[in-house]
Amino acid sequence: NVKSPVSIEFGLEGAEIRPAGENHPNSGHHHLIINGTSIEQGSVVPADEQHIHYGKGQTTASVDLMPGEYTLTMQFANFLHQSYGDSGATSIKITVTE
């Protein structure tokens, strides 16, 4: 169980974290998907309340969530926000308490 705001630390092995717009091989940035699954490889990660972009290359985040159960999915994507698919995603389940 965690309390809001939820502190998140993104990790990654085998690729380099770079801001959006910087076209470098084997690099990209993180996206947090709240109560969703990974994005199909090559598809652009949407930008909305459920899909939070960390296009500056951030590796930590603080997210306000109401009490309840959540699935949080970290999705890595390239400089154009195109998903690396399942190989660039991982999910955890959390319960936010008051």
Side-chain angles (χ1 to χ4, degrees), residues 34 54 60 96:
I34 300 171
Y54 296 95
T60 61
V96 177

Side-chain angles (χ1 to χ4, degrees), residues 7-65:
S7 295
I8 299 169
E9 185 172 331
F10 299 113
L12 180 70
E13 293 180 6
E16 187 177 2
I17 298 170
R18 293 277 198 164
E22 290 189 14
N23 185 6
H24 294 273
N26 199 34
S27 71
H29 60 281
H30 296 290
H31 301 80
L32 179 65
I33 303 169
I34 300 171
N35 288 336
T37 59
S38 65
I39 305 295
E40 182 179 342
Q41 185 171 354
S43 294
V44 173
V45 178
D48 55 30
E49 289 182 2
Q50 184 183 10
H51 301 84
I52 304 170
H53 288 235
Y54 296 95
K56 294 180 182 176
Q58 302 98 309
T59 57
T60 61
S62 180
V63 181
D64 289 316
L65 295 171

Side-chain angles (χ1 to χ4, degrees), residues 62-83:
S62 180
V63 181
D64 289 316
L65 295 171
M66 298 295 294
E69 294 183 0
Y70 294 88
T71 299
L72 302 180
T73 300
M74 186 284 300
Q75 178 69 66
F76 200 62
N78 70 12
F79 71 108
L80 294 175
H81 307 282
Q82 295 167 326
S83 171

